[in-house]
Amino acid sequence: MESIHLVTELLHFVIPYLIKQVQLIKGAPEQVRSLHSELQFIEKSLKQYESFDRIFMEDNTVQEWLIQIRSLVPETKGIFNTYKTAKHVQNQRTWPNSWLNAVPHVLELRDIGKRVKKMKKKIEEINSYKNKYCLESQVAKPKRNSEWLERQRREVEEENVEGFEVAIQQVTSMLLTKALTREVVSIVGTTGSGKTTLAKKIYRTMSKQFEHPAWAFVPSIYSMRDLLLDILKDLMPIGEETLKLDDVRLAQKLRNFLQGKKYLVVIDGVEETQLWETLRKEKVFPNENHGSRLLLTTRSTRVASLASSSRDRVHKMDPLDETSRWTLLKKLVFKDGRCSPELEHLGKQIATKCDGLPLAIVSLASLLDRDKRYGQWVDIISNVSWYLNQQDSPPCFGILDLTYHTTIPEHLRKCLLYLGAYPSGSEILARQVINLWVAEELVKDEGGSKAEEIAWRYLEDLFSLSLIEVVRKRSDGGIRKFRIHEIWRMFCVLKSERTGFLQIHTKFVSHSSNKTPWRLSIHHELRCILSNNQDYLPDICTLLCFHDRDSHDSKGSKLDFDRSPCLTVLDVGSTRVSKVDENIKRSCLLKYLKLNHPSLNRLPRTLFSLPNLQTLDIKNTCVMFPYLPSGIWGMQNLRHLLLPPYTMLPKRSDQSRKCLWHLQTLSTITPDGNTAALIFHSRFPSLIKLSLNSQEMENTKRCLERLNKLGCLQKLKIINRAVFPVPRTFPTSLVKVSLVKTDLAADDVMRMLEYLDHLQVLKLLKRSIRGPELEMKPNSFPQLRFLFMEEILVKTWRMGDGAMGILEELTITRCHELESLPKQLRHRHNIRHVKVNSPSHGLRRELEQLNVQQCEVQIHF
């Protein structure tokens, strides 16, 4: 009887438990959908309040509610992504494997159901706190102007900054003393005080008085090697051998070059005494009697006193005086110089509240410029006053936050915050950022425009708003590399941390909190994160790694995707990756993957079955794929495919008629007969950029013959020996053509390209063409704006009348056989730059007699 009673009692507890577990499993999909709807509501609510976070609300309870509700977003997305991953993995299994894995899959669904219930309970609790403690008036939305803001200036031109006339005279007199010994002058000031602007003004006016001027910027986390290379690049052409040198040899090379010469070197941003001590110890800058000068900018008085030749060689940046503050603000806001007395009275008050910092004035100017109503300026005065008195933010962050919320258009804000992921001073590759923005869905396809086209416009808008500075332009004048202004980068890091948008981990400090990170940017070895059992790894969606070049990770990291199944973006930078695990197939949500280290020599074939992957960048690895896995034809969302050399496309099965509809970039493919067939059958209907690594000239020719099937193709690059087909087989949509080591007859190249009415950029590089004569027919190349020739084997260059009629820039490098330029070029009034490196003797004599008034001519020997 006792045993029967025991069984009865056991069933009394077990049966309800089993019923509960079955309900959890059966209800998991519906619960997940419900949670996803709640997540969408949370995000819309946050978006509603984000526009006035920290500006229009001073109540701590509202702030706490926002912080708590934001902290739920990453974990909630993690639950939803875990469910999608589990469902995808189960659906991909074969029928027998599906049965074998039924129990683990059911248990996983049960766990997801538990997490959903727990999360919904958290949301209810937090919302109950809000209803209990936050008054509706405290979270009332302020009136906002939703009109699109006027396009701002590209950057604050130094000519617009007032109040530096005296400073320029003072620093110039420090530099232009009669002393023949090398002198060091320092400019000291706080962030945003105009140190760099002042240094740039002086450098532009004084660089012509020195034989060898150079400018270098020092990021907050700097490398001595990079600094030395930056200085050398301004002084001489840098070859591959120089790039291989270590710090000591680079310092020696720089010292040897500067010996016996009169030089001016500006080093912008020297914040550590150790940097100057190292430069002095290595005797990088010779102290000889040639009148050389060094100009430093720094926030540190210690650096200035240590580096400067004497106390009277230190210039301290003073705040702009009252008159200069208003003059600067008036010039930026009222382009015609006319301002009503009422607004002038308010404007002077606003200028006074900026504490004489040019950056603060410039930040506010764009805000005032968009709305010149009296009442609006009164509101701005009160906001500025409140914000400038905050004690928990670095100086000027209040102004930046006010500008962020009121001047920067809403669609640009998260794009700007994303740039905070990059380390200080980073030269950011524009193309990479564009693809990341698209993968993160910060930019989406809209109407008839691709997301990438819209993202490029967004980047130009950030430049127009003076939020980034261009470091290097593309050959067509677009942005290739850029840098975010340091004050804005610091703001983005702080803002991202507060809103849960992004977290930063550096070698020395983690800008993190107890919140689950959604996006994580690592500024040191990835292994340090993966080796620790971090609780947040399962929910993380974005992982960016910017490897510390000074550390040596000889073992490498193994990428195990079981620990982070929700990843949508993974960029390991230059981290040494020893292996990518087969379980990458579980990362069905992955949209962006970049592996950049040459130590990686194999990849699992399962990588090429990821359904959502948009960008795959493995071009700098040593992975050898004679043929890519055929699974690539199922990757219907693929947009950018960047491959290592000697990779060929797989054959398509006869039954499969799939196209890679969204593929825009295909680089670099070794063409074969199959490639020609794929092009002919229009398997890449949206392809914009194609790079071919020619191995067999006949196969390359067959591909080129079919290029007219690629109606969207704009950029074409051909590497290694090739043969051109008959003329007029290239698509007329081509905007840029690059030929590298192709060894083509000059006449064949001209016949093929001269009819392309939209061609704007032509690069003939490294023995790409040969022949005694390069002849351009009259009126050929009607839209060509940029022409680059490097190491071409041509002696004579002739042009017919009207050829290259709108050419703007001409670069000729190491064309030692070219003796002269066409006479028609001398009459091209639209040419802005002619740059010639290592010309022949005949070409050198001709260039020295060229009329330089119409354009800038640079000759380097």
Side-chain angles (χ1 to χ4, degrees):
M1 291 293 293
E2 289 183 3
S3 60
I4 294 174
H5 179 72
L6 181 63
V7 170
T8 303
E9 287 293 316
L10 188 62
L11 289 175
H12 177 73
F13 288 103
V14 168
I15 289 176
Y17 174 78
L18 290 175
I19 292 173
K20 185 178 180 181
Q21 300 306 306
V22 171
Q23 288 173 342
L24 277 173
I25 295 166
K26 289 181 66 178
E30 184 59 39
Q31 288 173 336
V32 169
R33 280 192 289 270
S34 172
L35 183 63
H36 186 246
S37 299
E38 191 133 17
L39 172 64
Q40 291 177 320
F41 177 78
I42 289 172
E43 289 184 318
K44 286 180 180 178
S45 298
L46 287 175
K47 190 175 182 181
Q48 192 177 51
Y49 293 119
E50 184 190 42
S51 59
F52 52 96
D53 174 33
R54 286 187 55 84
I55 296 179
F56 299 97
M57 295 182 303
E58 304 179 38
D59 190 87
N60 290 332
T61 56
V62 178
Q63 288 297 317
E64 182 60 31
W65 172 71
L66 283 172
I67 290 170
Q68 289 193 21
I69 204 73
R70 279 193 188 109
S71 69
L72 299 181
V73 174
E75 191 176 349
T76 306
K77 286 200 171 188
I79 295 171
F80 184 65
N81 289 339
T82 301
Y83 173 73
K84 287 200 296 186
T85 302
K87 186 178 178 182
H88 170 78
V89 171
Q90 184 69 359
N91 290 342
Q92 291 296 307
R93 289 176 175 140
T94 60
W95 183 80
N97 280 335
S98 180
W99 274 98
L100 289 173
N101 288 278
V103 173
H105 179 61
V106 166
L107 292 176
E108 191 171 15
L109 289 179
R110 184 199 64 180
D111 291 340
I112 291 171
K114 287 182 177 179
R115 290 179 67 188
V116 169
K117 291 189 71 176
K118 187 177 179 181
M119 179 56 63
K120 289 179 78 70
K121 186 176 180 181
K122 280 186 183 179
I123 294 171
E124 289 173 3
E125 287 178 354
I126 292 174
N127 279 329
S128 70
Y129 294 151
K130 177 208 166 191
N131 295 332
K132 187 175 181 180
Y133 298 109
C134 300
L135 299 176
E136 191 64 29
S137 60
Q138 292 170 327
V139 293
K141 291 190 294 181
K143 292 182 179 179
R144 307 273 299 172
N145 188 347
S146 61
E147 295 178 1
W148 171 256
L149 307 173
E150 285 188 20
R151 194 173 181 84
Q152 304 296 312
R153 286 177 304 283
R154 285 196 169 270
E155 60 183 356
V156 181
E157 294 292 342
E158 285 75 9
E159 289 74 20
N160 283 334
V161 179
E162 298 289 326
F164 281 172
E165 294 79 12
V166 175
I168 291 172
Q169 293 176 6
Q170 292 174 345
V171 178
T172 301
S173 65
M174 293 178 189
L175 292 167
L176 293 181
T177 61
K178 295 181 180 180
L180 293 177
T181 56
R182 184 209 65 197
E183 296 280 296
V184 182
V185 176
S186 298
I187 301 175
V188 187
T190 187
T191 301
S193 61
K195 301 184 299 296
T196 302
T197 299
L198 175 60
K200 282 183 177 178
K201 279 178 166 286
I202 294 169
Y203 181 74
R204 288 179 179 177
T205 56
M206 291 191 59
S207 59
K208 297 177 182 178
Q209 301 180 40
F210 292 81
E211 299 172 58
H212 302 282
W215 177 288
F217 167 74
V218 184
S220 57
I221 301 177
Y222 68 91
S223 160
M224 181 60 70
R225 184 174 182 277
D226 290 343
L227 174 60
L228 295 172
L229 277 173
D230 283 347
I231 298 172
L232 279 168
K233 286 175 183 177
D234 271 9
L235 298 171
M236 65 173 74
I238 299 296
E240 293 183 1
E241 292 300 318
T242 303
L243 293 174
K244 296 176 182 177
L245 299 177
D246 58 17
D247 295 6
V248 176
R249 293 184 180 275
L250 280 173
Q252 183 180 357
K253 186 179 183 69
L254 178 55
R255 180 173 61 252
N256 292 342
F257 178 85
L258 293 176
Q259 279 180 342
K261 298 180 175 70
K262 182 180 180 181
Y263 58 85
L264 169 65
V265 177
V266 180
I267 307 180
D268 182 28
V270 183
E271 306 304 342
E272 295 182 6
T273 56
Q274 183 182 354
L275 170 59
W276 177 253
E277 289 283 14
T278 304
L279 293 171
R280 185 167 64 178
K281 182 181 177 181
E282 297 294 333
K283 298 181 179 178
V284 174
F285 303 107
N287 191 357
E288 300 171 313
N289 294 326
H290 298 294
S292 296
R293 298 290 183 264
L294 289 174
L295 178 60
L296 313 181
T297 71
T298 179
R299 295 192 298 263
S300 170
T301 55
R302 291 182 61 191
V303 169
S305 60
L306 178 68
S308 302
S309 301
S310 61
R311 289 185 179 179
D312 59 358
R313 294 293 182 269
V314 177
H315 176 80
K316 185 177 180 181
M317 296 294 298
D318 295 321
L320 297 178
D321 58 35
E322 293 289 340
T323 302
S324 296
R325 295 176 194 182
W326 168 239
T327 302
L328 172 58
L329 188 65
K330 183 179 178 182
K331 179 181 285 189
L332 294 173
V333 177
F334 301 96
K335 311 301 186 299
D336 57 2
R338 290 179 293 180
C339 173
S340 66
E342 295 83 6
L343 288 183
E344 180 170 345
H345 175 69
L346 294 177
K348 287 181 177 179
Q349 293 182 52
I350 294 172
T352 299
K353 290 179 180 294
C354 290
D355 290 339
L357 285 176
L359 178 59
I361 295 172
V362 170
S363 299
L364 272 180
S366 55
L367 172 63
L368 299 171
D369 189 34
R370 66 175 269 213
D371 193 336
K372 298 184 178 69
R373 292 177 299 171
Y374 183 88
Q376 180 69 15
W377 281 33
V378 170
D379 291 338
I380 289 173
I381 288 176
S382 59
N383 289 329
V384 171
S385 177
W386 181 85
Y387 221 168
L388 285 174
N389 286 316
Q390 294 304 297
Q391 300 298 319
D392 59 346
S393 297
C396 208
F397 272 30
I399 294 291
L400 295 179
D401 204 35
L402 184 61
T403 303
Y404 174 82
H405 284 294
T406 55
T407 299
I408 300 174
E410 186 177 323
H411 63 270
L412 294 181
R413 291 177 196 163
K414 287 186 178 179
C415 295
L416 175 65
L417 288 186
Y418 203 87
L419 302 183
Y422 289 83
S424 171
S426 294
E427 293 187 1
I428 304 170
L429 191 63
R431 174 179 52 79
Q432 179 189 22
V433 167
I434 296 300
N435 294 343
L436 283 168
W437 284 350
V438 173
E440 296 275 13
E441 296 187 5
L442 303 181
V443 187
K444 298 180 181 180
D445 293 338
E446 188 176 306
S449 299
K450 293 184 174 66
E452 286 82 358
E453 297 171 357
I454 299 170
W456 279 112
R457 293 201 295 268
Y458 285 7
L459 189 64
E460 289 287 347
D461 288 340
L462 291 178
F463 179 49
S464 300
L465 290 166
S466 304
L467 300 171
I468 62 174
E469 59 178 330
V470 176
V471 176
R472 185 181 173 192
K473 291 187 176 182
R474 299 196 309 262
S475 52
D476 61 0
I479 302 173
R480 181 183 296 278
K481 287 185 177 181
F482 67 93
R483 182 188 293 124
I484 181 171
H485 291 293
E486 182 62 12
I487 187 70
W488 276 106
R489 189 197 69 82
M490 294 166 62
F491 166 81
C492 289
V493 170
L494 183 65
K495 187 75 173 178
S496 295
E497 177 189 344
R498 287 176 174 172
T499 60
F501 180 79
L502 171 75
Q503 285 187 17
I504 309 293
H505 282 248
T506 68
K507 193 172 184 178
F508 306 104
V509 65
S510 171
H511 297 275
S512 62
S513 62
N514 295 326
K515 294 179 288 186
T516 300
W518 181 2
R519 299 180 179 92
L520 183 61
S521 176
I522 305 168
H523 295 183
H524 59 111
E525 294 178 4
L526 177 64
R527 184 163 53 95
C528 297
I529 299 295
L530 298 181
S531 60
N532 298 325
N533 189 20
Q534 303 285 3
D535 293 337
Y536 53 69
L537 283 176
D539 293 326
I540 205 162
C541 295
T542 296
L543 187 58
L544 306 173
C545 186
F546 301 94
H547 192 51
D548 185 354
R549 297 180 187 175
D550 296 330
S551 62
H552 301 282
D553 187 1
S554 57
K555 295 181 181 179
S557 303
K558 176 185 174 182
L559 294 183
D560 186 349
F561 291 85
D562 275 338
R563 299 180 64 188
S564 302
C566 298
L567 275 177
T568 56
V569 169
L570 177 61
D571 184 346
V572 299
S574 56
T575 299
R576 184 183 180 93
V577 175
S578 57
K579 183 181 179 182
V580 177
D581 203 272
E582 291 280 344
N583 59 15
I584 193 174
K585 63 184 177 183
R586 286 185 58 84
S587 299
C588 62
L589 306 177
L590 199 62
K591 294 183 178 180
Y592 182 101
L593 177 62
K594 182 177 181 180
L595 305 170
N596 206 34
H597 203 281
S599 63
L600 186 64
N601 55 26
R602 64 180 300 272
L603 286 172
R605 301 181 74 84
T606 51
L607 167 62
F608 295 89
S609 61
L610 297 177
N612 291 305
L613 198 63
Q614 296 177 0
T615 297
L616 176 60
D617 186 348
I618 54 174
K619 67 178 182 296
N620 292 324
T621 66
C622 289
V623 175
M624 296 296 292
F625 276 121
Y627 287 95
L628 287 174
S630 58
I632 196 171
W633 296 112
M635 299 171 70
Q636 289 297 291
N637 289 298
L638 199 61
R639 303 169 85 105
H640 307 283
L641 185 58
L642 295 92
L643 300 167
Y646 314 111
T647 305
M648 289 186 280
L649 292 172
K651 292 185 178 180
R652 199 176 42 80
S653 62
D654 292 337
Q655 293 79 18
S656 173
R657 294 186 174 275
K658 288 183 178 179
C659 300
L660 295 179
W661 292 101
H662 301 289
L663 190 67
Q664 301 171 36
T665 304
L666 182 57
S667 174
T668 302
I669 285 293
T670 296
D672 62 354
N674 174 55
T675 311
L678 293 172
I679 293 174
F680 180 76
H681 291 290
S682 302
R683 299 307 173 197
F684 318 112
S686 301
L687 197 64
I688 294 173
K689 182 178 180 180
L690 175 63
S691 181
L692 299 174
N693 182 26
S694 176
Q695 294 300 308
E696 295 184 13
M697 291 191 290
E698 193 57 36
N699 282 334
T700 304
K701 180 181 178 182
R702 291 168 65 186
C703 285
L704 297 178
E705 286 174 340
R706 292 160 173 77
L707 283 187
N708 55 5
K709 292 286 185 177
L710 301 176
C712 296
L713 192 65
Q714 295 180 16
K715 299 179 181 181
L716 173 65
K717 185 175 184 178
I718 307 171
I719 306 170
N720 294 332
R721 289 171 60 88
V723 176
F724 268 0
V726 296
R728 298 187 180 275
T729 53
F730 282 6
T732 57
S733 57
L734 279 173
V735 174
K736 178 180 178 180
V737 173
S738 302
L739 305 177
V740 185
K741 301 179 182 178
T742 49
D743 193 34
L744 289 159
D747 289 344
D748 292 343
V749 174
M750 293 301 101
R751 280 195 295 267
M752 177 61 74
L753 303 181
E754 61 190 5
Y755 75 93
L756 297 175
D757 291 338
H758 297 98
L759 189 65
Q760 297 181 28
V761 180
L762 177 58
K763 290 188 171 185
L764 306 173
L765 309 175
K766 296 184 182 298
R767 299 174 179 264
S768 57
I769 64 172
R770 52 177 165 75
E773 190 172 273
L774 176 66
E775 184 173 359
M776 296 179 172
K777 292 181 178 179
N779 301 315
S780 58
F781 300 98
Q783 295 297 321
L784 196 67
R785 296 166 55 209
F786 304 91
L787 176 60
F788 301 82
M789 300 192 293
E790 178 181 343
E791 296 180 14
I792 63 169
L793 304 178
V794 172
K795 293 183 177 180
T796 306
W797 180 11
R798 303 184 189 279
M799 281 175 54
D801 292 336
M804 299 195 302
I806 63 170
L807 188 70
E808 296 178 11
E809 187 170 324
L810 171 65
T811 301
I812 302 173
T813 301
R814 294 188 295 277
C815 298
H816 297 144
E817 296 188 17
L818 188 63
E819 290 296 324
S820 64
L821 298 179
K823 61 181 181 180
Q824 289 84 350
L825 283 177
R826 301 185 183 185
H827 307 293
R828 292 280 188 271
H829 299 292
N830 44 284
I831 295 182
R832 295 184 287 107
H833 300 286
V834 175
K835 187 175 181 179
V836 182
N837 297 313
S838 187
S840 64
H841 292 295
L843 184 55
R844 174 183 173 181
R845 286 194 302 269
E846 181 177 315
L847 288 169
E848 288 172 344
Q849 299 172 3
L850 191 67
N851 179 11
V852 297
Q853 293 181 353
Q854 63 186 23
C855 66
E856 179 184 355
V857 179
Q858 299 178 15
I859 308 173
H860 300 278
F861 304 104

